[in-house]
Amino acid sequence: MQLGNELRHLRERAGLELADAGEVIERTWATVSKLENGITGIRQKPLREVGRALTPK
């Protein structure tokens, strides 16, 4: 669940709601929620995309 906590932290730091983050990474808000709560996993390539999208530039 550590990954999910980190994703939530990045999303919140970026000032994004679940739906906003989902739009950025082309996933639904529900998928973002499941990732943050450790209910579903994510493959390496999409994970990199999430990291890029949520990391401040």
Side-chain angles (χ1 to χ4, degrees):
M1 183 110 123
Q2 185 177 355
L3 176 62
N5 289 334
E6 184 64 22
L7 289 173
R8 179 178 288 116
H9 173 76
L10 288 171
R11 177 181 61 77
E12 290 174 346
R13 189 171 71 187
L16 297 174
E17 298 292 329
L18 287 170
D20 300 326
E23 197 171 304
V24 169
I25 64 168
E26 299 178 349
R27 304 287 192 279
T28 66
W29 69 267
T31 298
V32 176
S33 177
K34 288 176 183 177
L35 289 168
E36 289 182 357
N37 289 296
I39 295 170
T40 191
I42 187 168
R43 294 185 181 268
Q44 189 174 4
K45 185 179 178 189
L47 180 58
R48 280 188 293 232
E49 294 169 4
V50 170
R52 281 190 217 114
L54 298 179
T55 301
K57 296 175 178 149

